[in-house]
Amino acid sequence: MKKVNFYSLIALGLLSLPAAKSFGQDSTARKRPMADMSGTAPTPKIFGGQSQYTTWNIGINAGVLAPLIPFGSNDFTNKELNFGYGASLRKQLAHSFGLQLDYVGGKLSGSNVNAVGGVKYGTRAFDTKLAYSATLSGVVNVATINFIRRKNSVNFFVSAGAGLAGYAPKVTLASNQVVDFQGIAGDGTHKYVHELVIPIGAGVKFKLSDKVALKLGYTATFVDGDNLDGTKGGFPTKDKFSYGYGGLEFGLGGKSKPNLDWANPVALMYDELKDPTLRATVDSLKGEVTKVETGVSDLKKDSDGDGVRDDLDKCPNTPAGTVVDGGGCEIKMPTPPPVVEAPAPPPPPAPVVRKTHKKHHTTKKHHTTTHHTTTKRKSTTKK
């Protein structure tokens, strides 16, 4: 087998990225799925994980094999379409990603009828038996999240992978000699030529029932060699072939488990609305909460309005406005002693009224007499 080329590295890289992410899927699931009230249509549990779903799918298909793809060159001018068939086995790791084994077999052929002289690169035609093309691919479901519908009925997908093909070309040379490589491939002892192949595909699935889907797809396969048609021309190009197919795919598992292929993550957020067990649990919890609220209200009840709740009130039905202690009983205050009023103080004595006018007259008379005496003394002294 030839050295792995650039395409194989790209394909293996594409496989590793989604696979690593999908293995982080929540696996803390209950083992049995929830059924609805009718018991016929399964309803996934909230955060139930993969165990509540069917994750294995097997498929059969048939279609058309062609020795070319929509782009790239070919060694022969005229393509021929032939019958092909295949089968698949897929493990769904998440609602959007799975790993799939594919088998494809059939016949590939072409000619140079339209070439000058009916010959190109020294050959007239080829007829290759494709014994098998066995590949492992990562399959990504596109647009599985649906905000408009609860359940998906159409899924688009893309895929890429790598694998091994075994085939035996039979070539008609320009001299009309036929060379059959079956049994002389490789070192001359192998029945088939073995080459690395890289398939890249796309398609659509239609849900027919919970366990059956119609699958339509197209796969372009790149061969890591230029010997699929038994002719090495247009170096350094390599051969390619395509497979357009239709088929049925079946989910493996119990009838009570829905297929993970059709799981809509948006709908899972609303599953509690259709889960009878969960709704019964919620209703029960509501009843318990109501009981607790009623109990709390009873504890706060104070029938006589004395500020002490009923369960602690030792003296219920106290009159309004009564001063009570911590037990709700009336506090009896001691009777205060009578207040003795002090006797009124005696009235103050009446004030003495003096006659100011009479005193002034006496003083004046005294003053006049004094003045007269003084004048008389002065007169005597003068004499």
Side-chain angles (χ1 to χ4, degrees):
M1 186 171 64
K2 294 186 177 182
K3 187 176 181 180
V4 178
N5 64 4
F6 179 68
Y7 294 114
S8 64
L9 297 177
I10 295 177
L12 293 176
L14 291 173
L15 282 174
S16 63
L17 291 176
K21 182 177 180 181
S22 63
F23 280 113
Q25 181 84 359
D26 178 19
S27 60
T28 59
R30 302 183 204 177
K31 294 185 177 180
R32 297 180 60 189
M34 179 65 61
D36 65 6
M37 296 299 290
S38 65
T40 57
T43 302
K45 287 185 176 66
I46 300 172
F47 305 116
Q50 292 185 13
S51 64
Q52 65 183 328
Y53 293 101
T54 294
T55 57
W56 286 98
N57 295 271
I58 187 170
I60 54 174
N61 53 73
V64 177
L65 280 170
L68 76 168
I69 62 175
F71 51 89
S73 60
N74 299 282
D75 296 337
F76 286 78
T77 60
N78 296 82
K79 66 178 184 296
E80 295 178 1
L81 304 180
N82 295 278
F83 175 73
Y85 49 87
S88 64
L89 176 65
R90 187 176 74 260
K91 170 64 174 178
Q92 200 68 25
L93 301 177
H95 72 279
S96 60
F97 178 77
L99 291 176
Q100 180 169 298
L101 285 171
D102 284 290
Y103 163 80
V104 176
K107 175 183 175 181
L108 296 166
S109 63
S111 69
N112 287 320
V113 174
N114 293 334
V116 178
V119 177
K120 184 180 179 182
Y121 300 125
T123 57
R124 293 183 179 275
F126 82 95
D127 189 339
T128 297
K129 178 183 179 180
L130 181 62
Y132 64 86
S133 174
T135 59
L136 175 64
S137 300
V139 181
V140 178
N141 290 333
V142 182
T144 56
I145 298 177
N146 195 328
F147 289 91
I148 300 175
R149 296 178 179 87
R150 179 178 177 81
K151 293 183 179 181
N152 294 327
S153 57
V154 179
N155 268 358
F156 297 91
F157 65 89
V158 293
S159 64
L164 188 67
Y167 49 86
K170 182 187 294 185
V171 183
T172 302
L173 303 178
S175 60
N176 292 323
Q177 178 185 358
V178 178
V179 178
D180 190 350
F181 287 88
Q182 183 169 347
I184 61 172
D187 58 1
T189 60
H190 294 86
K191 186 175 182 179
Y192 299 111
V193 178
H194 299 98
E195 291 289 358
L196 172 71
V197 291
I198 299 175
I200 298 176
V204 59
K205 290 185 292 185
F206 301 92
K207 184 178 180 181
L208 303 180
S209 71
D210 289 336
K211 296 295 184 181
V212 183
L214 173 64
K215 186 175 182 180
L216 304 176
Y218 176 85
T219 302
T221 302
F222 299 82
V223 181
D224 189 28
D226 193 19
N227 51 17
L228 179 67
D229 52 14
T231 302
K232 293 186 176 181
F235 182 83
T237 62
K238 296 182 178 182
D239 291 332
K240 302 166 282 291
F241 69 92
S242 61
Y243 179 45
Y245 60 90
L248 296 176
E249 195 170 69
F250 306 91
L252 304 178
K255 294 181 179 180
S256 61
K257 293 184 176 183
N259 197 323
L260 186 56
D261 268 0
W262 305 103
N264 180 9
V266 176
L268 296 181
M269 294 189 298
Y270 300 100
D271 277 341
E272 60 186 45
L273 301 177
K274 291 192 174 183
D275 189 335
T277 302
L278 182 58
R279 295 192 66 173
T281 302
V282 171
D283 291 338
S284 176
L285 290 175
K286 287 180 178 178
E288 294 298 325
V289 171
T290 301
K291 290 180 181 179
V292 172
E293 291 177 344
T294 302
V296 172
S297 298
D298 291 342
L299 290 176
K300 293 181 178 181
K301 190 174 181 181
D302 180 13
S303 300
D304 55 7
D306 59 359
V308 180
R309 67 190 195 193
D310 289 354
D311 62 324
L312 299 176
D313 199 341
K314 297 179 181 179
C315 302
N317 303 320
T318 53
T322 303
V323 179
V324 298
D325 57 15
C329 296
E330 181 181 1
I331 299 176
K332 296 182 178 180
M333 305 298 291
T335 303
V339 179
V340 179
E341 295 183 358
V352 179
V353 180
R354 296 180 180 179
K355 295 181 179 180
T356 307
H357 178 71
K358 189 176 181 180
K359 184 178 180 181
H360 177 71
H361 179 73
T362 305
T363 304
K364 186 175 180 183
K365 184 178 179 182
H366 177 73
H367 176 71
T368 305
T369 305
T370 304
H371 178 71
H372 177 73
T373 305
T374 304
T375 304
K376 189 175 180 181
R377 285 179 182 176
K378 286 183 180 181
S379 176
T380 305
T381 304
K382 198 170 183 182
K383 285 180 176 183

